[in-house]
Amino acid sequence: MFAGFNLTIEDEDAFREYYDYGKSILSSQKRNIEENLEEYICGRDTLDGTMMEAQWFPSVDADVFLSHSHKDEHMVVALAGWLSKECNVRAFVDSYIWGYSNKLLKKLDNRYCVEERVGSHTSYSYEKRNNSTSHVHMMLSTALGKMIDKCECLFFVNTPNSIEIAETMEMEATLSPWIYSELALSQIVRHKKLSEYRTGEAYFAKDAVNESASLQIKYDISLSHLHKLSTDNLLRWSKSVKYYPSYPLDKLYEQLRILGNGEL
């Protein structure tokens, strides 16, 4: 990752007209997955986790990782459409491409965690479900880390759905473990020079697992490593891109004065 941004969108309808376009762009990134667990058995009913991660949570070519609350998915899909249409920038939205985690969990639970079936009622082993859930969540967390490291930059879409009201002036918090994980990863992944992203052609997280309605856990987070970004910044950036089409993100870095010597 080269840079991270704390994006505040004042008007949630600012990019609404781009929703259908964003939906079509993100849908094209999806991969048909093999849902038959037998395909992943590598011996004595042991599943190949590496193969499962690669198939269910595949790497995608993207420029910007959009970290967000699942409650803002509609707005974020529209933003992805706007980034592609107006700025020629490819966005990654995990929920749209990796919206399979609960489906995968259900398949594993039905095969390995059933304790009893009585009529239409199925009961599961608590311990076995803990094990299956930890495996799927680790696959997803690992895949998220790889994508954050791979993308040139991260936009954290800062809304009331993603950030709780700060209890102190120094620290903000989130109730989403996935937002917490993504922001923490954005602090520790490699900071790479732009040249490492420019080897190919010039110009891609609804949380993948919904938070429980009854269990809420607060995670303190830091946004100090992210550059502030507003809707106005985005609109001014899009106007300048047409005159600098090769690497559109450079115009954003230039506008915010974050492209220092030696960064290339």
Side-chain angles (χ1 to χ4, degrees):
M1 189 180 81
F2 171 72
F5 297 91
N6 179 11
L7 173 59
T8 302
I9 299 178
E10 294 81 4
D11 180 5
E12 63 181 25
D13 295 325
F15 307 105
R16 173 181 285 185
E17 63 184 281
Y18 296 89
Y19 175 78
D20 289 338
Y21 185 72
K23 187 176 179 180
S24 66
I25 291 295
L26 295 173
S27 294
S28 69
Q29 299 178 27
K30 286 186 177 181
R31 176 186 298 176
N32 291 327
I33 58 172
E34 178 54 65
E35 297 186 16
N36 188 347
L37 291 181
E38 275 69 21
E39 295 294 324
Y40 303 110
I41 294 177
C42 58
R44 292 194 177 184
D45 209 28
T46 298
L47 299 178
D48 188 329
T50 302
M51 183 186 296
M52 290 173 71
E53 180 188 321
Q55 290 293 319
W56 287 76
F57 311 116
S59 178
V60 173
D61 289 329
D63 305 305
V64 178
F65 185 105
L66 295 179
S67 177
H68 65 289
S69 167
H70 76 277
K71 296 176 183 178
D72 294 322
E73 184 181 90
H74 194 281
M75 178 179 67
V76 170
V77 170
L79 174 60
W82 180 85
L83 287 169
S84 177
K85 190 83 168 180
E86 302 298 336
C87 302
N88 194 30
V89 167
R90 299 163 297 180
F92 175 78
V93 181
D94 63 336
S95 61
Y96 221 87
I97 304 161
W98 296 346
Y100 310 119
S101 56
N102 286 337
K103 194 173 184 180
L104 176 57
L105 269 174
K106 188 69 172 177
K107 286 184 172 295
L108 290 173
D109 291 346
N110 283 336
R111 176 161 183 156
Y112 298 102
C113 305
V114 173
E115 202 160 61
E116 185 180 38
R117 284 194 175 98
V118 180
S120 60
H121 176 73
T122 302
S123 59
Y124 299 89
S125 164
Y126 178 78
E127 289 77 14
K128 290 180 179 179
R129 280 218 71 240
N130 280 347
N131 187 43
S132 64
T133 300
S134 67
H135 276 288
V136 173
H137 285 185
M138 285 303 99
M139 290 179 199
L140 178 55
S141 181
T142 300
L144 285 170
K146 290 177 180 178
M147 278 303 303
I148 291 172
D149 181 66
K150 181 179 180 180
C151 287
E152 185 170 318
C153 60
L154 174 144
F155 286 7
F156 170 58
V157 184
N158 190 336
T159 72
N161 290 323
S162 55
I163 294 292
E164 293 297 295
I165 297 175
E167 293 184 357
T168 70
M169 294 299 292
E170 293 79 21
M171 186 62 67
E172 294 174 286
T174 181
L175 297 179
S176 167
W178 297 105
I179 287 177
Y180 168 69
S181 175
E182 289 165 5
L183 290 177
L185 285 168
S186 73
Q187 288 182 290
I188 61 178
V189 296
R190 297 172 296 172
H191 178 86
K192 296 182 284 188
K193 293 184 177 181
L194 285 177
S195 57
E196 297 187 52
Y197 297 99
R198 308 293 172 81
T199 56
E201 294 182 3
Y203 318 169
F204 104 65
K206 172 182 175 176
D207 305 322
V209 179
N210 295 339
E211 297 93 338
S212 168
S214 56
L215 174 63
Q216 294 192 110
I217 301 175
K218 186 191 77 168
Y219 299 89
D220 290 338
I221 58 175
S222 173
L223 303 178
S224 60
H225 64 295
L226 303 179
H227 301 278
K228 290 185 178 180
L229 190 64
S230 67
T231 305
D232 181 60
N233 292 141
L234 291 180
L235 295 177
R236 286 196 288 127
W237 169 42
S238 68
K239 291 178 181 178
S240 66
V241 165
K242 65 181 70 174
Y243 304 109
Y244 195 80
S246 296
Y247 295 106
L249 283 167
D250 282 356
K251 296 305 292 183
L252 180 63
Y253 304 149
E254 179 183 309
Q255 177 184 315
L256 297 176
R257 299 179 181 179
I258 64 171
L259 192 57
N261 293 330
E263 294 289 7
L264 293 173

